[in-house]
Structures are given as C-alpha cells and as structure tokens.
Amino acid sequence: MDRFGDIFFRDFVQINGDYYMLDMRHTLDAGNECMAFRCAKYGEVTSGEDVWSKRGMMITRREFNKCKREFISYMKRKH
C-alpha cells in the first residue's frame, strides 16, 4: 500500500544557462503537484521558492514528462 510521498518524479534541466530541478509528488497542503526550483549545476536547490508549479495531475511518468515540457516552454517564452 502506498503512503503519501512514496511516488514522486524528479529531474534537472538547463534553460538559457540556468539550472532547475523539477519535482512531482503528492503534498498534504496542495495535493498532486509539479514544481520547479532554481538549483546549482549539480542539483543543489538554491531557493525554496518555486519558479513554476502545476497542480491536479496524476502522478505518472507520462504526466511528469508533460509537466517538464510545459515548464521548458514557459521558461523559453519568458526570456
């Protein structure tokens, strides 16, 4: 039986020279959520404040990949 927090996905991306960690999981305060945080080159998160988030999706690899594409597209439009 899965408990909250047992299923999650995480990946790191570089966009325009900046590094980000994407994290998807169930949170007690927001439900299912995919968030992006600034991080150093080797993955250490540099700020606890998210730069992007999306809520309400299923916690699956397919949805995580979709969130990752949406985040990359959002950040490229922003610059």
Side-chain angles (χ1 to χ4, degrees):
M1 177 177 222
D2 288 332
R3 297 179 312 269
F4 290 132
D6 282 354
I7 300 172
F8 70 93
F9 296 97
R10 180 174 289 166
D11 200 1
F12 300 89
V13 295
Q14 180 183 10
I15 303 168
N16 300 324
D18 295 319
Y19 295 90
Y20 302 92
M21 178 192 75
L22 277 91
D23 185 82
M24 176 189 268
R25 66 181 65 227
H26 179 85
T27 62
L28 294 176
D29 62 332
N32 293 352
E33 187 170 34
C34 185
M35 301 176 75
F37 301 91
R38 291 188 187 281
C39 68
K41 183 176 183 177
Y42 297 105
E44 304 87 20
V45 173
T46 58
S47 171
E49 184 177 330
D50 63 276
V51 294
W52 180 87
S53 68
K54 179 180 177 180
R55 295 181 176 151
M57 75 296 292
M58 298 293 293
I59 306 292
T60 64
R61 172 65 65 186
R62 181 178 181 169
E63 286 297 317
F64 180 69
N65 289 334
K66 182 179 173 185
C67 284
K68 188 162 74 168
R69 287 190 305 270
E70 289 174 15
F71 170 68
I72 291 168
S73 177
Y74 167 79
M75 292 305 287
K76 287 185 175 180
R77 283 191 315 265
K78 190 175 169 184
H79 284 95

